[in-house]
Amino acid sequence: MKKRILITGGAGFIGSHLCERLLNDGHEVICLDNYFTGSKSNIIHLLDNPYFELIRHDVTHPYFVEVDEIYNLACPASPVHYQYNSIKTIKTSVMGAINMLGLAKRIKARVLQASTSEVYGDPLIHPQPESYWGNVNPIGIRSCYDEGKRCAESLFFSYHAQNNVDIKVIRIFNTYGPRMNPNDGRVVSNFIVQALKGEDITIFGDGNQTRSFQYVDDLLEGMIRMMNSRDGFTGPVNIGNPHEFSMLELAQSVIELTHSKSKITHLPLPQDDPTQRQPNISLAKKELNNWEPTVQLKEGLVKTIKYFDNLLKSE
Ligand code: NAD
Ligand code: UDP
């Protein structure tokens, strides 16, 4: 069945892939974005599709439209950008959630929240199941993002309990792929750009901290399966790749795959930087039709390196 779907943050890294995928699946897509960290170039190839609509709008203000489903992705995701204006980050998460939930309530749409593994903070339980409540510093430099997303989850569950809004909440773990913003300071884009330019690879701290990197196509599959999951299943559900790597291992893989002469340099570790991160994905497997990631790190890195290589050559 052809659906009309609203995607907030649709001009961003993940949002632009989601717009493309849902159009290819035969749906009508309305992409809403204020272009803070996203850009028209991410979705320019979709503009001549008559089933695609692009709206410049900020989710901190209400927006009214008739749709069947809403994917709420609007929010800067990289520490450099979400810390740039921390008050605005909180407003985007909290007021954005209120506005999208209010809309979903009025038009009886199903609404999916792009929450994050950051709700677990610097986790004391490893790997992290959804039942873990997290270890977040409420006044640290990451709190605008972590607590904003935690409050958004709380709002989603309150609108569900109080107003019967049809909600779906996913907790996304570190995701990478083509169309990451080369300037947003996230580790995968930083290392690849540095390696391609022959610059030093900047490892923060000793590089033994870990993350679990998921290729964007695996996330999209999990996200869409969650949107279409059985009535009454709200999540939250972890969507991530359980293969865990240290930043040192990541740097070595990037150097090897780019055949770069770059050297590794160590910079101070930012405050409250989580030491480890790995999703427990049993719930996703059980509820989302045996969903699990299929793209291995090296395979995904090769595709991402190709994207950044073309981008740098076109500059
Ligand atoms: P991104 O920064 O590329 O995309 C975010 C998009 O939201 C951008 O296009 C930006 O311009 C837009 N936006 C920001 N504030 C807005 C506002 N007030 N009104 C309207 N649009 C606004 O980041 P991404 O990696 O594509 O992340 C998308 C979503 O997924 C975010 O909600 C993020 O928190 C979540 N997420 C991402 C990751 C990851 O590893 N990439 C991990 C966990 C959660
Ligand atoms: N990091 C790094 N060098 C960089 C950028 C990031 O070593 O140039 C580290 C960062 O300190 C963190 C990890 O890589 O431990 C992942 O950082 P990112 O900002 O990509 O994601 P997040 O910390 O939000 O999971």
Side-chain angles (χ1 to χ4, degrees):
M1 189 191 75
K2 192 184 189 78
K3 289 183 274 198
R4 189 180 298 148
I5 302 173
L6 174 68
I7 303 177
T8 76
F13 157 51
I14 296 171
S16 63
H17 287 280
L18 186 62
C19 289
E20 195 175 295
R21 164 81 192 258
L22 292 172
L23 284 169
N24 285 339
D25 288 351
H27 302 296
E28 203 176 319
V29 171
I30 300 170
C31 166
L32 187 153
D33 208 293
N34 72 347
Y35 305 121
F36 172 41
T37 50
S39 72
K40 272 193 187 162
S41 61
N42 284 339
I43 31 99
I44 203 153
H45 59 295
L46 305 176
L47 287 178
D48 56 6
N49 185 327
Y51 294 108
F52 182 68
E53 235 174 294
L54 178 61
I55 317 277
R56 180 190 288 267
H57 182 83
D58 193 306
V59 289
T60 58
H61 300 290
Y63 179 73
F64 298 109
V65 67
E66 293 286 332
V67 290
D68 303 299
E69 294 176 349
I70 305 167
Y71 287 85
N72 187 37
L73 272 62
C75 185
S78 100
V80 174
H81 285 135
Y82 71 63
Q83 286 161 18
Y84 170 75
N85 182 343
S86 54
I87 297 170
K88 177 69 196 231
T89 300
I90 299 170
K91 284 186 183 171
T92 294
S93 265
V94 175
M95 293 164 72
I98 292 172
N99 287 330
M100 288 308 127
L101 285 160
L103 175 64
K105 176 183 161 191
R106 202 174 77 139
I107 62 174
K108 297 195 169 26
R110 180 170 273 195
V111 57
L112 179 145
Q113 168 67 358
S115 189
T116 169
S117 57
E118 293 286 327
V119 300
Y120 302 123
D122 194 359
L124 304 175
I125 287 185
H126 196 73
Q128 295 81 52
E130 291 81 356
S131 54
Y132 178 50
W133 290 355
N135 176 36
V136 173
N137 175 356
I139 55 169
I141 56 169
R142 295 172 81 102
S143 69
C144 58
Y145 184 72
D146 301 4
E147 298 291 15
K149 290 280 188 182
R150 286 168 69 99
C151 183
E153 284 201 12
S154 176
L155 282 161
F156 267 69
F157 281 85
S158 292
Y159 270 78
H160 176 65
Q162 218 168 301
N163 297 125
N164 219 10
V165 174
D166 186 3
I167 63 156
K168 303 279 173 189
V169 177
I170 57 170
R171 292 181 177 156
I172 304 170
F173 283 65
N174 292 64
T175 302
Y176 70 98
R179 301 202 199 114
M180 289 181 92
N181 183 332
N183 304 314
D184 76 5
R186 276 185 273 188
V187 70
V188 175
S189 43
N190 265 13
F191 285 4
I192 293 178
V193 171
Q194 289 161 346
L196 290 173
K197 288 184 169 170
E199 294 170 356
D200 284 353
I201 307 265
T202 54
I203 288 190
F204 299 166
D206 61 11
N208 288 319
Q209 72 272 35
T210 66
R211 295 291 186 274
S212 304
F213 297 104
Q214 157 174 252
Y215 189 65
V216 62
D217 290 355
D218 285 330
L219 166 64
L220 292 191
E221 188 57 39
M223 200 186 267
I224 293 169
R225 284 194 199 188
M226 180 58 174
M227 182 60 107
N228 296 313
S229 61
R230 66 177 170 84
D231 286 347
F233 178 62
T234 56
V237 62
N238 290 337
I239 303 287
N241 191 323
H243 288 137
E244 190 181 354
F245 296 87
S246 71
M247 296 312 105
L248 268 173
E249 286 171 312
L250 177 70
Q252 275 145 7
S253 294
V254 169
I255 289 173
E256 184 190 311
L257 294 171
T258 51
H259 312 290
S260 174
K261 294 196 170 56
S262 291
K263 300 270 171 292
I264 286 176
T265 176
H266 290 266
L267 295 177
L269 190 66
Q271 187 197 328
D272 293 339
D273 200 277
T275 44
Q276 51 182 9
R277 207 42 97 46
Q278 190 200 109
N280 174 326
I281 59 165
S282 333
L283 184 63
K285 275 190 188 159
K286 177 170 165 269
E287 290 288 346
L288 307 181
N289 216 355
N290 277 323
W291 173 86
E292 62 181 332
T294 58
V295 182
Q296 300 307 317
L297 184 67
K298 287 207 174 156
E299 185 189 346
L301 283 178
V302 167
K303 294 184 189 184
T304 313
I305 289 166
K306 196 167 158 209
Y307 168 80
F308 279 112
D309 197 27
N310 287 334
L311 189 76
L312 293 177
K313 280 181 184 144
S314 68
E315 272 176 358

